Structure formats: structure tokens, C-alpha cells
Amino acid sequence: MRWLPGEQLTWKAWRQAHPQGRVLSSRTGHQRDYTRLPYQEYFASPHTVFPVPEFRTELPKKAWVLGILVNGRAQGYPLETLESAGSVRDPVGGVAIEVRYDAEARRAQVTRLDREEPVPSVMAYWFAWQAFYPDTGLWNPPR
């Protein structure tokens, strides 16, 4: 399986980055209210919708992390910590990478420094990321 680079960011940041971009219509033929966030209560709750074996408890279950895979090594970056750091250089899987995080745009960009190329990443809840990658490293800022 090969990950491809993608972006997750706020709607405002996406529109600024892609002013000529197009989106799918909300005219789907179904009666759905697309003006409200259907998962608002779930996002605010500490509970998960489905049971997941808890392997690790360094973070709350629903803490947001940025997850990457480099040379078979998984690494997680807590968004709350990245928010204050802004930019991080970290060796992962024997490769120097840089993680930049813009909290206002809720946008993370990961770059492999030796090739100046993007590293695919995903924003996920901690419980989900560590369930898929139980041996993941967890970045903490230097003290």
C-alpha cells in the first residue's frame, strides 16, 4: 500500500489556496441538512462510537494527532503540541523530516528534507492512529 499526499484544512484556507477550485454540489437528491455538523456531539464527547482496544494512553483517546509513515516507521505528532511549536524537525525512519502546522488553517505539511518532497500524512484521533500503528513513535517537544 502506498500513501499519496493529500490535504486536510479549513474551508476558508482551502478557498484561499484554490480560488478556482470546485466542490461537489449539496444537491444530492437526498433530504439532508448540509448546513449543520451532524457529529458535533461526538466531537465533544470523550467516548468513541465503536470499541477499539486501547494499547496506549499517553494522550486522551480523542486527541488529534498528525500521523506519518516513513520507511515503515510510524510517528504521531499531537496537534495541540504542534500548535505551539509551529515547525518541527524530526528524524523518522532514518530520514530528516520537517512538520509545519498552521493552527488557524488547521493545515499540516510534512516535508522530507533530503529530497524536498512532501510526506503523506493524516490527521486522526489518537485512539484510531495507535490502533492501526501500535508501535508508533510519539513526538514530544525537547525540554
Side-chain angles (χ1 to χ4, degrees):
M1 173 176 69
R2 181 174 168 243
W3 281 20
L4 298 174
E7 289 184 303
Q8 182 175 334
L9 58 161
T10 64
W11 170 243
K12 180 181 177 182
W14 188 86
R15 291 292 295 162
Q16 288 173 344
H18 308 283
Q20 302 303 314
R22 297 172 64 188
V23 297
L24 296 175
S25 169
S26 59
R27 294 186 205 124
T28 63
H30 296 280
Q31 293 297 319
R32 293 200 174 88
D33 182 0
Y34 290 103
T35 64
R36 70 173 197 85
L37 185 59
Y39 299 106
Q40 189 68 39
E41 287 180 32
Y42 178 68
F43 293 154
S45 164
H47 304 291
T48 60
V49 168
F50 47 86
V52 175
E54 280 190 59
F55 300 108
R56 311 225 343 231
T57 59
E58 295 101 316
L59 297 171
K61 284 187 230 180
K62 287 170 75 178
W64 282 99
V65 297
L66 177 72
I68 65 171
L69 288 174
V70 178
N71 289 341
R73 175 77 177 133
Q75 184 82 333
Y77 299 85
L79 291 192
E80 188 174 293
T81 308
L82 279 177
E83 200 168 309
S84 58
S87 177
V88 170
R89 288 188 176 213
D90 194 26
V92 179
V95 175
I97 60 117
E98 180 179 42
V99 179
R100 288 183 313 233
Y101 184 66
D102 177 346
E104 185 178 339
R106 200 168 189 271
R107 181 184 201 178
Q109 295 174 300
V110 185
T111 305
R112 185 177 170 140
L113 295 176
D114 63 343
R115 297 183 191 162
E116 288 296 320
E117 66 183 26
V119 173
S121 62
V122 63
M123 287 188 203
Y125 283 134
W126 173 241
F127 80 87
W129 179 256
Q130 63 85 46
F132 281 99
Y133 303 101
D135 295 327
T136 193
L138 187 58
W139 179 80
N140 287 303
R143 296 187 192 268

